[in-house]
Amino acid sequence: MPEPPRSEDLHAGPDSARAIAEALSAALPAHLERLTDRARGYVEAASSANTRRAYASDWVHFCSWCRRQGLEPLPPSPQLVGLYITACASGAAIPGGKANSVATIERRLSALGWNYAQRGTPLDRKDRHIATVLAGIRNTHAAPPRQKEAVLPEDLRAMLETLERGSLRGLRDRAMLLIGFAGGLRRSEIVGLDCGREQTADGRGWIEILDKGMVVTLRGKTGWREVEIGRGSSDATCPVSALQTWLKLARIGHGPLFRRVTGRGTDVGTERLNDREVARLVKRAALAAGVRGDLSEGEREIKFSGHSLRAGLASSAEVDERYVQRQLGHASAEMTRRYQRRRDRFRVNLTKAAGL
């Protein structure tokens, strides 16, 4: 008989780094404790903190559903998981809840697989009780992806005009918007930058300012990549000049590039900004600038996010598509095209090419 689940297993996602470290500590001599600590660091680096938090939350959601049904989440049962994702799709996973989107259900399923794997009891996602149900959910409920609105160059200029003039906060926000747009960076990549290489433990990359622009070195899901951000045609919209001005007046020469401005806007903290601040900045500036004024304020709140900057670059850069693909770090041109909001879709007309 399998060991019954402990209360902490039912109510929280496992800290895999700690679990592995404790397992190693129990199995290995004391003089190998340093390797145990190193193993903990590597396990934590295997996935982002946001991913671990999401997986922990999904595990709690699943265990709570099991408890209400009088069922046990352990050992893994494909039949049980199939019923769970059915409940998620129908809005019956929690009392008075709403039906989850297909994307949310797929994430929850990934979370279950991850959590079960950490416990040494893998879940077979290819089992027909899961795979067939999931296929039916996709066929029934899948909808086209809801794309965020692209911030185009004219929108960005208007947004820059709404920022606080002559304040450190305004200078910081200007630099973040321009670098995020010109580099096609994700919000986590923007706030994860340091002034130089290996300056902080939580940094995701660093910058090097050159005569003709700036090289951004980033650590992504598939390894390291470099992004080149050239100087703009004017100081007002040059991302490199904006960053240099912010660093100079904020007196930042080491550590995180973008930090919280405290007090009355005259003090700069030491810790890096949270990536959610980028999304808030884009939303706030877009609303203040009247971007997409044809929409209601609520609709505009939903339309704009940190991804609007990446979509803006992809939609605006009049260059060969492969250069945009490389800048955004996409593995395929098809992914880059998903970001392009105003590309010429009929540049290649196969109807005429076929003689019709």
Side-chain angles (χ1 to χ4, degrees):
M1 292 290 292
E3 181 181 348
R6 298 171 297 178
S7 59
E8 58 265 35
D9 288 334
L10 297 176
H11 296 94
D15 181 339
S16 61
R18 184 171 62 245
I20 292 176
E22 289 176 352
L24 289 174
S25 296
L28 298 176
H31 69 276
L32 293 178
E33 288 184 0
R34 288 186 179 180
L35 287 180
T36 301
D37 292 336
R38 182 64 63 87
R40 179 187 295 112
Y42 287 148
V43 171
E44 290 178 346
S47 58
S48 70
N50 288 340
T51 297
R52 293 194 297 273
R53 281 193 294 268
Y55 282 3
S57 176
D58 288 334
W59 179 253
V60 171
H61 189 272
F62 172 63
C63 290
S64 297
W65 178 81
C66 289
R67 188 169 58 251
R68 286 192 296 272
Q69 312 310 314
L71 302 170
E72 298 291 348
L74 293 172
S77 165
Q79 294 94 328
L80 179 61
V81 173
L83 290 175
Y84 169 68
I85 62 176
T86 300
C88 290
S90 60
I94 59 175
K98 296 182 179 180
N100 291 152
S101 67
V102 174
T104 298
I105 292 171
E106 290 177 336
R107 191 205 65 217
R108 292 196 192 282
L109 189 55
S110 295
L112 295 186
W114 184 87
N115 277 279
Y116 277 125
Q118 305 314 305
R119 290 169 167 77
T121 54
L123 174 69
D124 181 10
R125 288 186 52 175
K126 294 182 180 179
D127 185 281
R128 62 186 179 86
H129 294 93
I130 298 176
T132 306
V133 171
L134 183 60
I137 290 173
R138 286 172 176 155
N139 289 338
T140 304
H141 300 292
R146 296 181 179 179
Q147 295 181 321
K148 294 299 181 180
E149 191 77 13
V151 168
L152 302 175
E154 55 269 27
D155 301 327
L156 184 59
R157 293 189 188 95
M159 291 164 63
L160 294 175
E161 290 297 319
T162 70
L163 303 179
E164 299 177 28
R165 294 183 178 274
S167 72
L168 288 175
R169 184 176 289 107
L171 293 175
R172 179 202 66 192
D173 292 351
R174 172 179 291 271
M176 286 200 297
L177 287 176
L178 286 169
I179 287 177
F181 180 92
L185 304 182
R186 300 174 178 86
R187 66 186 195 182
S188 59
E189 293 172 340
I190 296 172
V191 299
L193 291 175
D194 290 339
C195 293
R197 181 172 184 164
E198 297 179 353
Q199 291 185 346
T200 64
D202 61 342
R204 296 192 59 178
W206 64 88
I207 63 165
E208 181 182 5
I209 298 178
L210 307 173
D211 291 340
K212 294 184 178 181
M214 176 172 66
V215 177
V216 180
T217 303
L218 295 167
R219 180 177 60 198
K221 294 181 179 179
T222 58
W224 292 94
R225 67 185 180 96
E226 287 187 349
V227 172
E228 298 174 359
I229 300 179
R231 293 185 182 272
S233 55
S234 70
D235 287 343
T237 56
C238 176
V240 183
S241 295
L243 179 63
Q244 288 177 309
T245 301
W246 155 248
L247 293 178
K248 178 180 178 180
L249 297 183
R251 298 180 181 179
I252 297 175
H254 187 276
L257 287 188
F258 298 115
R259 313 173 184 191
R260 190 171 303 281
V261 177
T262 59
R264 296 183 177 179
T266 58
D267 300 322
V268 179
T270 58
E271 296 183 356
R272 74 176 71 251
L273 282 180
N274 187 289
D275 65 347
R276 289 189 293 272
E277 293 295 330
V278 177
R280 295 188 185 110
L281 169 61
V282 173
K283 289 178 183 290
R284 184 171 62 249
L287 288 173
V291 180
R292 286 303 307 269
D294 57 308
L295 302 177
S296 68
E297 185 169 326
E299 289 174 319
R300 291 159 70 200
E301 280 275 359
I302 297 173
K303 283 283 189 180
F304 291 98
S305 73
H307 252 60
S308 296
L309 299 176
R310 281 168 64 80
L313 177 71
S315 303
S316 307
E318 298 292 337
V319 296
D320 191 302
E321 193 175 71
R322 58 185 171 173
Y323 294 110
V324 179
Q325 178 183 340
R326 181 173 179 269
Q327 189 84 340
L328 298 183
H330 288 155
S332 68
E334 181 59 34
M335 177 59 70
T336 301
R337 294 187 190 108
R338 295 181 188 178
Y339 281 72
Q340 296 171 333
R341 305 293 189 264
R342 64 176 189 184
R343 63 186 174 90
D344 182 1
R345 294 180 177 271
F346 302 101
R347 183 178 303 171
V348 177
N349 188 326
L350 293 181
T351 306
K352 291 182 178 179
L356 298 179

